[in-house]
Amino acid sequence: MTDLPRPDDDRGCLRVVLALPFSVLTLIAAYFCWTAISIRPYGSWDDDAYTGIALSCAVTIAAAGSVTALWLLPSVRRVIGWGWVAPALVLGVAAAVRWGVSG
């Protein structure tokens, strides 16, 4: 009987409210990761493409880092599980690999 929710427990409402920034930041990371992966330089002289790749990777890593930083708050961690953070972390790692490989 100790696992019954208290009448003033607002975890469900808090989960709904926190889902918005987690979802938006993950979608931003997904879009910029996709652009970083889909940009193909024409040659080693194509500085604009390499700049676009670096910028897209930086935005992806920043968005993924924001999701992780938000999740590290104890009050958020109590309500939101790893399932909300894992996609952003995977996108951040993919962007870091793409940035490292692009030279």
Side-chain angles (χ1 to χ4, degrees), residues 4-60:
L4 292 175
R6 295 180 309 214
D8 60 342
D9 189 16
D10 63 347
R11 289 185 185 178
C13 182
L14 186 59
R15 185 174 292 133
V16 171
V17 169
L18 288 173
L20 181 67
F22 275 85
S23 300
V24 169
L25 286 169
T26 303
L27 287 174
I28 289 170
Y31 173 75
F32 281 101
C33 186
W34 173 77
T35 57
I37 292 173
S38 65
I39 294 174
R40 301 280 181 221
Y42 289 113
S44 61
W45 49 267
D46 196 0
D47 292 334
D48 292 336
Y50 288 113
T51 303
I53 292 169
L55 180 63
S56 294
C57 290
V59 171
T60 301

